[in-house]
Amino acid sequence: MSSSGPSAGDILSEAGKTYAPYTVVEVTPAVVRVLSGRVDQQLAVTFGNTRKKSSSLIGVGDDVVVSIWEASNNGLFASGTTTARTMGGTQVPQQPVSESGTITVPYAGTIKAANKTPDQVKLEIESALKGVAVEPQVLVSVVKNVSNTVTVTGEVATSGLIPLSARGEKLLDVIAMAGGPRMEAHQLAVQITRGLHTETIPMERLISDPVENIYVQSGDVITLLRQPRSFTVFGATTANASVQFDEAQLYLNQALAKVGGLNDDRANAKGIFIYRTEPVSLVRQLMPGKPISGAGDTANVIYRIDLSDPSGFFLLKSFSVRNRDLIYIANSSMAEVRKFATIIGATTAPVVQAAAASNALQN
């Protein structure tokens, strides 16, 4: 007979095999506590959360302005006509750091600037001008920072390059500097790419967990992605559907209510299953000593809740539904019996009707 999916017995039987493709976890208050207390440190683990001190270094392509003052108003840099002449000093016109990492300063020559701080470049220029200028004092300013930047794009008010300051900026800092998100946080995910590594985290999680609000580094690409959350329901429910949800935390009782609850004529109260992919480390914590088959660091898990036990409804109120969860309600055995009886009835009814008609004609 046709069916909307496997029976509860089929799911449990397959899980008992030596090389089962999934692990069945019976949901208990202890399991709910473990799941509720689990916090994956995605960004902090992948990228770390250390402020990179080199964010104040001058890089190739940065625009630099050098200002020079002397102790005498009749000094080398106090003479002549310049547009920036003030108090016996001169401002060298703004210039970009060349591909070779250098800038040019009159009478000081070519100065290596890339991968140095403004203070280091200042000392090098002052040293080069000794004997030429009268007690020179130099100020080096980076007016356009393109090497120490991060790229922010996606669902933000203004995409572009965000310069980093010496104090160091965190993820939420640069998102705010880009004008902030263009939609509500529950609809967004934040993706950060650093080198060959990419990690994504829900925007709500980033806001609520300070540990995940990591320091950004030069060259990071931060993308805000529209990623509405949803779950799918199949089986013996009033309606099979894919449902989007906005709640920061959605519980299983609320999820089932969104699709009209279980079908009284078909549902197996002992067959409430939630399909999910979990880290192997979590599965080992939930099922210590049980062999686990998984692909790399993750494993397929089916959580089972028994609603024939009245206390099972408390578990519904505590079990959180996550993005892309699949909820399956198995058919009861009596539903299969009724289905079989319906098929038999539909097959034999024409024969009975024909016999009755024949008897009527004979009479």
Side-chain angles (χ1 to χ4, degrees):
M1 293 182 296
S2 60
S3 176
S4 59
S7 67
D10 291 338
I11 295 174
L12 298 176
S13 175
E14 182 73 15
K17 294 181 179 180
T18 304
Y19 298 102
Y22 54 81
T23 300
V24 172
V25 177
E26 298 287 343
V27 178
T28 63
V31 168
V32 169
R33 283 194 296 272
V34 171
L35 295 177
S36 300
R38 182 172 67 93
V39 178
D40 293 332
Q41 302 296 346
Q42 294 171 269
L43 303 184
V45 170
T46 303
F47 301 114
N49 193 20
T50 303
R51 181 173 63 88
K52 191 175 180 181
K53 297 180 180 179
S54 61
S55 61
S56 61
L57 299 182
I58 298 171
V60 173
D62 291 351
D63 280 5
V64 175
V65 169
V66 178
S67 300
I68 305 172
W69 286 267
E70 293 183 82
S72 171
N73 287 333
N74 296 320
L76 178 65
F77 289 96
S79 61
T81 303
T82 67
T83 57
R85 178 179 174 184
T86 56
M87 298 294 294
T90 296
Q91 188 179 84
V92 178
Q94 179 177 325
Q95 59 181 307
V97 178
S98 68
E99 291 184 4
S100 59
T102 61
I103 59 174
T104 301
V105 178
Y107 299 100
T110 301
I111 302 295
K112 183 71 174 179
N115 299 319
K116 294 183 178 180
T117 66
D119 283 343
Q120 290 173 326
V121 177
K122 154 193 156 61
L123 293 175
E124 187 170 340
I125 296 173
E126 288 178 348
S127 177
L129 291 176
K130 283 183 179 179
V132 179
V134 180
E135 298 181 16
Q137 297 291 314
V138 176
L139 175 65
V140 177
S141 304
V142 179
V143 294
K144 184 179 180 182
N145 189 330
V146 296
S147 64
N148 296 317
T149 59
V150 296
T151 302
V152 182
T153 187
E155 299 296 335
V156 290
T158 307
S159 298
L161 295 175
I162 303 295
L164 302 178
S165 67
R167 73 177 180 87
E169 280 75 27
K170 294 190 173 185
L171 267 175
L172 290 176
D173 296 332
V174 296
I175 291 172
M177 293 165 70
R182 294 193 296 189
M183 57 185 62
E184 295 181 6
H186 67 262
Q187 296 180 320
L188 294 172
V190 179
Q191 175 182 284
I192 178 170
T193 300
R194 180 177 298 170
L196 300 177
H197 299 285
T198 298
E199 193 69 66
T200 304
I201 186 173
M203 183 73 177
E204 282 185 327
R205 171 76 183 285
L206 179 63
I207 294 173
S208 63
D209 189 350
V211 175
E212 294 290 15
N213 187 25
I214 63 173
Y215 284 101
V216 297
Q217 296 182 10
S218 300
D220 284 354
V221 178
I222 298 155
T223 307
L224 266 65
L225 306 170
R226 185 177 184 275
Q227 197 174 72
R229 293 172 295 175
S230 65
F231 64 90
T232 308
V233 179
F234 290 109
T237 59
T238 303
N240 289 188
S242 177
V243 182
Q244 292 188 3
F245 62 96
D246 297 334
E247 292 89 340
Q249 193 165 36
L250 180 72
Y251 294 101
L252 187 54
N253 63 311
Q254 297 170 311
L256 292 175
K258 287 179 180 289
V259 295
L262 276 60
N263 186 317
D264 289 341
D265 295 330
R266 295 172 49 204
N268 181 355
K270 296 183 178 182
I272 315 299
F273 299 99
I274 301 92
Y275 286 65
R276 184 182 294 172
T277 300
E278 297 281 26
V280 170
S281 58
L282 173 65
V283 183
R284 294 192 191 283
Q285 184 180 357
L286 295 173
M287 304 289 288
K290 180 177 176 59
I292 298 169
S293 59
D297 296 331
T298 61
N300 294 325
V301 177
I302 302 178
Y303 293 99
R304 177 178 178 246
I305 296 180
D306 182 0
L307 291 186
S308 64
D309 181 354
S311 63
F313 286 88
F314 288 106
L315 299 176
L316 290 187
K317 293 175 58 179
S318 306
F319 190 94
S320 294
V321 174
R322 296 184 182 171
N323 186 34
R324 301 181 65 186
D325 271 358
L326 189 153
I327 303 170
Y328 174 66
I329 312 300
N331 282 339
S332 68
S333 57
M334 287 305 299
E336 301 300 325
V337 172
R338 283 194 295 269
K339 189 186 300 182
F340 179 74
T342 300
I343 294 174
I344 296 300
T347 303
T348 59
V351 177
V352 173
Q353 291 173 359
S358 176
N359 289 334
L361 290 174
Q362 290 176 0
N363 294 333

